[in-house]
Amino acid sequence: MAEWAVAEWVVAEWVVLIKRMISTVAVSAPGKVLLAGGYLVLDRSYTGLVFGLDARIHVLVQDLATHDGGAPSEVVVRSPQFKDAEWRYECRKAEDDGGIEVAQLKNTSASQSRNKFVETALAYTLTYISAIAHLRIASTSVTILADTDYYSNTGFSGNARTTNEQRFLNFNVPLQEAHKTGLGSSAALVTAFTAALLTHYLSADLLSFNSEGGKARVHNLAQAAHCAAQGKVGSGFDVAAAVYGSCIYRRFSPSILENLAEVGSKGFSTRLKSIIENTHLPQDWDMEIHKSGAILPSGLRLLMCDVDCGSETVGMVKKVLSWRYENAEEAILLWSTLQKGNEDLAEKLRELAQEPRLSSFDLEELSTLFRTIRSLMREMSRKARVPIEPKVQTQLLDACCQISGVVGGVVPGAGGFDAIALLVEDKQEIFEALHTILDTYTVDAENGDGASIGQVRLLGVQQETQGIKMEDPIIYEGWI
């Protein structure tokens, strides 16, 4: 009888687990690397070559049982890989078409720090849901998980994808103390968070991101929320990569979001709906996203090398744009030359993607293009007095590029001390050679750049063509 009781208990536990998984919506969005087009991508006159990365941010949404049907809706957001990473929000409908306002609740067991990206994405997404579905927002539980390589010092270093057991690690630190590797976690978070909530609350006939129209609305909403959380209208290439994956990207006009105002302001809900659906606007969404433009030839692989430091991107961008404004003629000439180099690199990659195999001459052509782009970025770095490719990063890139089979590399995006990007031949001996150098790599402290890099390690990521996607909740067993 005891054996039967145990068997019944096991079956009951599996039934509970299966029911929980069936009712769970799980969405993930990829990280990014802006391989070419740093700073230029801020201006609609130029483009960026951005690749998605297979390190993903995952968001799971489940119903949250409540006892009082008349009480305000509550949303509980957890990030269980970090210490004390729980945020509880009360959600109320604002007067005068102001949308859904969220207020963080005080709770001794939850984090008392604000999470601007979660809070803003929640308010924007619930406002849009309420505007198009006219439903009462039911209480929900949201779980956020990050693939290992978004953060430094995770104890994993490898040249292959992590196993399922290693995919989600307990980082064992408060979120604010975690060192980011610069793979675009905030954009991936806002995108996955937005898409998961939309999928949870709305029926497929109202919105499905499997359709182009639905994906466009997810993109527009994530861009609006991400910009509001940052406090500025950025280029949006990171959100575009999170939604669509690898692409050639031309930014949207900033004026689209400039007059949205804040959640709770009179008419906010109507304005947001109009912006998301691209209706009745003075300025239509005019970004350009070309999926076919970002492709890697067979036999090449994009790798990222973490330096455990990170950069203050906002300050760097301000200095570069100030230099550009004060030296317009010089800056236009340099940026136009850089744009040509970036376009040449993208075109060469597309051209070689049609070839059955790559010759040594093909690889040398790519190496030359990388060296040209790096030289021009260092020139801008000197002129603007901004460490776009700091000396320590130059030394690291040069050391890696001396390895046979490493085609080229850059400090991607805005540069500085984020992870470097390397394009290499997809061969095991090259990964091993990189590990041999990087496992014992050291640099002189400071070295005149105002910061020193930390432990150097090869991340386990590679390029990813796909953007947002639904996931099977079973892979999160043990975390929800």
Side-chain angles (χ1 to χ4, degrees), residues 262-460:
E262 295 183 352
V263 177
S265 61
K266 185 176 181 179
F268 174 81
S269 180
T270 297
R271 289 193 302 275
L272 180 67
K273 181 175 182 291
S274 179
I275 286 173
I276 302 317
E277 299 183 351
N278 209 23
T279 56
H280 313 299
L281 298 180
Q283 170 69 62
D284 287 343
W285 284 92
D286 52 359
M287 70 284 177
E288 297 176 17
I289 296 169
H290 301 289
K291 287 285 296 173
S292 61
I295 186 170
L296 288 184
S298 177
L300 294 183
R301 181 169 165 179
L302 192 60
L303 300 178
M304 303 296 293
C305 179
D306 177 39
V307 297
D308 191 18
C309 186
S311 304
E312 180 51 57
T313 303
V314 174
M316 294 170 64
V317 169
K318 286 182 178 179
K319 289 181 180 179
V320 169
L321 294 182
S322 176
W323 161 78
R324 186 190 179 205
Y325 176 78
E326 295 170 1
N327 303 271
E329 186 175 341
E330 179 182 44
I332 288 174
L333 177 60
L334 179 55
W335 279 31
S336 297
T337 307
L338 253 173
Q339 174 69 14
K340 177 63 166 57
N342 297 340
E343 290 174 348
D344 288 346
L345 175 61
E347 178 59 36
K348 178 55 65 175
L349 290 171
R350 288 194 298 272
E351 176 188 318
L352 295 180
Q354 308 306 314
E355 300 295 329
R357 65 178 61 87
L358 303 181
S359 67
S360 58
F361 179 76
D362 294 330
L363 298 178
E364 181 54 36
E365 280 192 299
L366 285 174
S367 295
T368 299
L369 290 169
F370 272 105
R371 287 193 294 269
T372 299
I373 291 171
R374 283 183 60 196
S375 176
L376 291 168
M377 292 298 285
R378 286 196 298 269
E379 183 179 348
M380 180 162 61
S381 183
R382 289 192 298 271
K383 292 179 181 297
R385 297 184 178 180
V386 173
I388 299 172
E389 187 183 298
K391 291 178 182 177
V392 289
Q393 295 281 56
T394 296
Q395 293 169 0
L396 177 59
L397 280 166
D398 289 348
C400 291
C401 289
Q402 288 176 4
I403 298 173
S404 177
V406 176
V407 179
V410 295
V411 187
F417 297 92
D418 285 337
I420 66 170
L422 299 171
L423 186 63
V424 307
E425 293 184 72
D426 194 359
K427 297 177 180 178
Q428 184 63 30
E429 59 265 30
I430 296 171
F431 306 144
E432 292 174 356
L434 280 167
H435 275 291
T436 298
I437 286 183
L438 298 178
D439 287 349
T440 58
Y441 189 84
T442 58
V443 295
D444 295 332
E446 299 299 329
N447 205 21
D449 285 310
S452 61
I453 62 178
Q455 179 184 358
V456 178
R457 69 185 181 107
L458 200 60
L459 300 179

Side-chain angles (χ1 to χ4, degrees), residues 61-329:
V61 183
Q62 300 170 296
D63 292 327
L64 181 66
T66 56
H67 300 291
D68 185 355
S73 300
E74 183 176 344
V75 176
V76 178
V77 182
R78 299 169 52 250
S79 188
Q81 293 167 287
F82 300 96
K83 290 182 177 179
D84 304 319
E86 180 179 292
W87 302 268
R88 292 178 174 267
Y89 300 98
E90 182 180 273
C91 308
R92 293 179 180 271
K93 193 168 186 176
E95 297 180 350
D96 298 325
D97 192 35
I100 303 296
E101 292 181 302
V102 302
Q104 185 171 344
L105 300 174
K106 301 297 182 183
N107 190 308
T108 55
S109 64
S111 173
Q112 299 306 304
S113 63
R114 286 188 65 189
N115 188 319
K116 292 186 299 180
F117 290 100
V118 165
E119 186 176 318
T120 306
L122 179 62
Y124 272 56
T125 305
L126 294 185
T127 293
Y128 182 63
I129 290 168
S130 178
I132 67 173
H134 307 292
L135 50 78
R136 183 181 184 276
I137 301 298
S139 295
T140 56
S141 171
V142 181
T143 302
I144 301 168
L145 294 168
D147 282 348
T148 302
D149 285 323
Y150 277 98
Y151 297 93
S152 301
N153 290 327
T154 58
F156 173 78
S157 177
N159 55 37
R161 284 289 300 145
T162 57
T163 65
N164 285 337
E165 290 77 12
Q166 295 169 317
R167 185 166 191 175
F168 306 115
L169 296 182
N170 186 341
F171 298 123
N172 201 34
V173 294
L175 180 58
Q176 60 269 25
E177 294 181 15
H179 291 188
K180 293 183 178 182
T181 54
L183 303 187
S185 58
S186 64
L189 166 62
V190 169
T191 300
F193 193 95
T194 298
L197 284 176
L198 291 171
T199 304
H200 174 77
Y201 282 109
L202 301 177
S203 60
D205 61 317
L206 281 177
L207 189 146
S208 169
F209 64 73
N210 290 323
S211 70
E212 285 306 307
K215 191 170 290 186
R217 283 192 281 167
V218 171
H219 169 270
N220 298 349
L221 181 54
Q223 290 282 19
H226 194 246
C227 288
Q230 289 185 119
K232 65 183 180 67
V233 180
S235 70
F237 81 87
D238 44 4
V239 170
V243 175
Y244 293 98
S246 302
C247 61
I248 298 285
Y249 176 77
R250 189 184 303 276
R251 71 158 304 152
F252 60 88
S253 296
S255 58
I256 294 170
L257 298 177
E258 285 177 348
N259 297 315
L260 182 55
E262 295 183 352
V263 177
S265 61
K266 185 176 181 179
F268 174 81
S269 180
T270 297
R271 289 193 302 275
L272 180 67
K273 181 175 182 291
S274 179
I275 286 173
I276 302 317
E277 299 183 351
N278 209 23
T279 56
H280 313 299
L281 298 180
Q283 170 69 62
D284 287 343
W285 284 92
D286 52 359
M287 70 284 177
E288 297 176 17
I289 296 169
H290 301 289
K291 287 285 296 173
S292 61
I295 186 170
L296 288 184
S298 177
L300 294 183
R301 181 169 165 179
L302 192 60
L303 300 178
M304 303 296 293
C305 179
D306 177 39
V307 297
D308 191 18
C309 186
S311 304
E312 180 51 57
T313 303
V314 174
M316 294 170 64
V317 169
K318 286 182 178 179
K319 289 181 180 179
V320 169
L321 294 182
S322 176
W323 161 78
R324 186 190 179 205
Y325 176 78
E326 295 170 1
N327 303 271
E329 186 175 341

